[in-house]
Amino acid sequence: MTKLSRKFLIAGTAPLALILSGCMGAGGSVPSASTPITTNEAQQGAEFHPQLLAQFGGAMTGRHAQYVEQVGKNIAVQSGLGNARESFTVSLLNSPVNNAFAVPGGYIYTTRQLVTLMNNEAELAGVMGHEVGHVAARHSQRRQRTAQRNSILGVLGAIGSSVLLGDSGIGETVSRGFLQGSQLLTLSFSRSQETEADDLGIQYLTSAGYDPRAMGTVLGSLAAQNGLDAQLQGRGNATVPAWASTHPDPASRVQRALTAARGLPGTVTNRDTFLQRIDGLLYGDDPEQGVIEGSQFIHPELRLTFTAPQGFYMVNSTSAVSVNGQGGQAQLTLAPYNGDLDSYIRQQFSELGGEGGNLAPQSIQRTTVNGIRAAFGQARVNNGNSQVDVTIFAYEFAGDRAYHFAAITPAGASNPFASMFQSMRRISTAEAAQVIPRVLDVVTVQRGDTVAGLARRMAYDTAQVERFRVLNGLNSTDGLIAGQRVKIVVRGR
């Protein structure tokens, strides 16, 4: 089974979604931020660690992962959660989204994409310290009690609750139970909890000798990346649609973090060491999980492609491909298939219906899309004070393999995903061979080099200068100095 096939099969893993949304702690009082890891927390972390790795593309190995593990453990011991580096498990995840999180028991995670956005070792330590701060302050346990008080019945995109940036409700996954209880719900840490985690991260940076301003600078890079993503995706602003948002925007925290670090000791950044150690790191989509090129999604191993509608943007992940816009939301994934498209579609509706399993299509219609056997069904569902239409559009790629879109649109509206449903097709061996990964290339600025000149080497057709500046933490007026090391993104070597 390919890596993407595995990712699709685990989409909507409910227990993991609940764990990452903080529904994991036991009852009772909340320990202080200096209380060591408990036996119960260690058991919880060990239980869900394998699921989390599977959901987020697996743990990377090799020199990049070893470096992240080293820095992560060094900062984690500053928390008092464990007395030795061996008390913590630090994983670099093969995921193309900017994300970091931690779960009880000393398990800490960052995605490779978030690491590529950093510009020194102190920023890496700051991100890891922020996530350790969530665990040290037992924020997950507090969120569980809040969820219980609010009688939460379902989750939509609750993956990555400890996200530093917090935009992954769109990117990481939409559970196949996203209509459980006829609710579209999200969970997130409160602003006060984010502030507390920032403060604890700054405290850990200071005690480790790092420059504590790194917490603010990495938040600034994340805010800039948010804005650039919004521009490139045609969202017009740096926020996701209000009905799918999971986290406060980081921009409001940048200045506060910089102010909190003012006057604190610590000067170490290890910029050159950091850049040397992350050189060659995979950037963006992993072809084994499929890639997004403009409005097209291409999977070279599964030999398929489709095109998103105009005005919508896609986010690829290790669990599914999400297609998002103000007119609706869709997700491509797969499920076990027995050769009967009708029963396959009915099963997807049943799972969307939650524990009652009473959601069913009004009818199922069969069709053919670019030579592929296909079928689709639709149901109307109450969503609070309004209604939405849920569509399942499935394709049979082999006798034992099918893929499907699950889409939500306003009730009665023309389906904006109609063209996307019809765009699904198989790709040739030659098309698959043209998919080459992007990687980071750390280069030294030579005399006469300019931002515009180096940006032209970026492996993108659009917004080369903007991408280069955000990638290197440069504002619109910053220039380059000969001898300075910077990152560019190139096609794989």
Side-chain angles (χ1 to χ4, degrees):
M1 180 182 297
T2 69
K3 186 176 296 185
L4 187 76
S5 296
R6 182 173 72 250
K7 100 174 182 180
F8 277 146
L9 284 171
I10 62 174
T13 305
L16 181 59
L18 291 173
I19 280 297
L20 287 183
S21 56
C23 302
M24 67 187 88
S29 60
V30 177
S32 72
S34 60
T35 303
I37 297 168
T38 67
T39 300
N40 183 52
E41 289 170 339
Q43 291 173 342
Q44 289 177 333
E47 178 181 356
F48 291 103
H49 177 63
Q51 292 186 47
L52 194 148
L53 293 182
Q55 186 75 53
F56 286 86
M60 300 183 73
T61 58
R63 61 186 181 89
H64 299 125
Q66 292 169 0
Y67 175 60
V68 169
E69 179 183 30
Q70 171 192 332
V71 175
K73 287 188 172 185
N74 285 345
I75 200 68
V77 296
Q78 307 297 325
S79 67
L81 284 170
N83 296 322
R85 298 175 76 257
E86 290 69 29
S87 301
F88 302 92
T89 300
V90 179
S91 301
L92 176 64
L93 301 173
N94 184 23
S95 174
V97 298
N98 291 305
N99 203 335
F101 42 87
V103 296
Y107 292 84
I108 310 160
Y109 311 84
T110 182
T111 62
R112 56 174 170 77
Q113 191 68 10
L114 181 54
V115 173
T116 65
L117 188 59
M118 301 171 192
N119 285 287
N120 58 58
E121 186 176 289
E123 290 187 345
L124 173 58
V127 167
M128 304 305 270
H130 171 99
E131 301 308 332
V132 173
H134 277 306
V135 177
R138 272 63 181 192
H139 288 159
S140 295
Q141 288 88 327
R142 300 181 191 179
R143 294 177 66 221
Q144 180 192 26
R145 285 193 293 275
T146 300
Q148 290 169 340
R149 286 196 301 269
N150 291 339
S151 300
I152 287 181
L153 302 176
V155 292
L156 167 63
I159 293 300
S161 64
S162 301
V163 185
L164 187 65
L165 173 60
D167 200 19
S168 67
I170 287 293
E172 277 307 314
T173 191
V174 180
S175 167
R176 270 186 273 149
F178 64 169
L179 287 180
Q180 289 177 2
S182 298
Q183 297 184 40
L184 297 175
L185 300 174
T186 59
L187 300 174
S188 66
F189 286 132
S190 67
R191 289 182 181 272
S192 63
Q193 288 174 331
E194 291 302 330
T195 297
E196 185 176 12
D198 287 347
D199 289 343
L200 288 171
I202 291 171
Q203 174 185 317
Y204 305 154
L205 284 172
T206 300
S207 60
Y210 286 113
D211 185 343
R213 294 175 298 174
M215 182 66 72
T217 57
V218 75
L219 283 169
S221 291
L222 283 163
Q225 186 65 56
N226 245 5
L228 179 58
D229 288 342
Q231 173 191 330
L232 296 174
Q233 294 164 354
R235 286 188 272 134
N237 56 60
T239 62
V240 298
W243 49 274
S245 178
T246 63
H247 212 275
D249 185 271
S252 62
R253 292 158 48 201
V254 174
Q255 190 57 50
R256 185 197 173 279
L258 292 173
T259 300
R262 189 175 300 155
L264 295 178
T267 58
V268 175
T269 61
N270 286 344
R271 174 181 167 84
D272 286 345
T273 297
F274 174 82
L275 293 177
Q276 178 184 355
R277 298 295 293 271
I278 68 168
D279 188 27
L281 186 59
L282 183 64
Y283 185 92
D285 293 328
D286 183 344
E288 292 187 6
Q289 300 170 359
V291 301
I292 296 170
E293 294 291 350
S295 61
Q296 187 178 25
F297 175 79
I298 312 169
H299 196 292
E301 292 191 7
L302 300 183
R303 300 293 177 83
L304 63 81
T305 184
F306 69 86
T307 303
Q310 184 176 1
F312 285 71
Y313 64 95
M314 289 183 286
V315 184
N316 191 22
S317 76
T318 54
S319 58
V321 185
S322 297
V323 186
N324 309 279
Q326 294 295 337
Q329 184 176 34
Q331 178 191 63
L332 177 71
T333 185
L334 63 73
Y337 182 56
N338 64 3
D340 184 344
L341 276 177
D342 284 21
S343 64
Y344 178 89
I345 289 174
R346 293 186 186 279
Q347 180 61 30
Q348 305 321 305
F349 275 104
S350 177
E351 294 192 16
L352 286 175
E355 294 182 3
N358 57 358
L359 183 62
Q362 298 165 353
S363 64
I364 295 178
Q365 300 181 49
R366 299 180 183 179
T367 186
T368 301
V369 176
N370 297 316
I372 306 169
R373 288 186 63 232
F376 61 93
Q378 189 176 82
R380 186 155 295 178
V381 180
N382 288 324
N383 175 33
N385 297 324
S386 61
Q387 291 184 320
V388 294
D389 286 336
V390 180
T391 303
I392 302 293
F393 203 111
Y395 311 83
E396 182 185 79
F397 269 69
D400 61 350
R401 179 162 55 96
Y403 303 98
H404 70 275
F405 286 106
I408 301 176
T409 54
S414 176
N415 196 320
F417 299 115
S419 63
M420 181 179 72
F421 296 154
Q422 296 298 319
S423 71
M424 177 69 74
R425 65 176 178 86
R426 292 183 172 92
I427 63 173
S428 65
T429 302
E431 286 178 288
Q434 294 174 3
V435 179
I436 302 173
R438 294 179 173 94
V439 298
L440 277 189
D441 186 17
V442 176
V443 300
T444 301
V445 175
Q446 304 298 315
R447 187 179 302 276
D449 280 343
T450 63
V451 167
L454 287 177
R456 282 194 290 270
R457 297 166 59 182
M458 297 280 284
Y460 290 96
D461 296 329
T462 61
Q464 291 175 316
V465 169
E466 292 84 352
R467 294 178 193 270
F468 178 83
R469 287 191 178 280
V470 171
L471 183 66
N472 289 285
L474 302 174
N475 64 38
S476 60
T477 60
D478 286 339
L480 301 176
I481 302 173
Q484 177 184 358
R485 305 190 76 187
V486 294
K487 298 170 287 180
I488 58 176
V489 179
V490 299
R491 291 293 180 180
R493 293 173 289 191

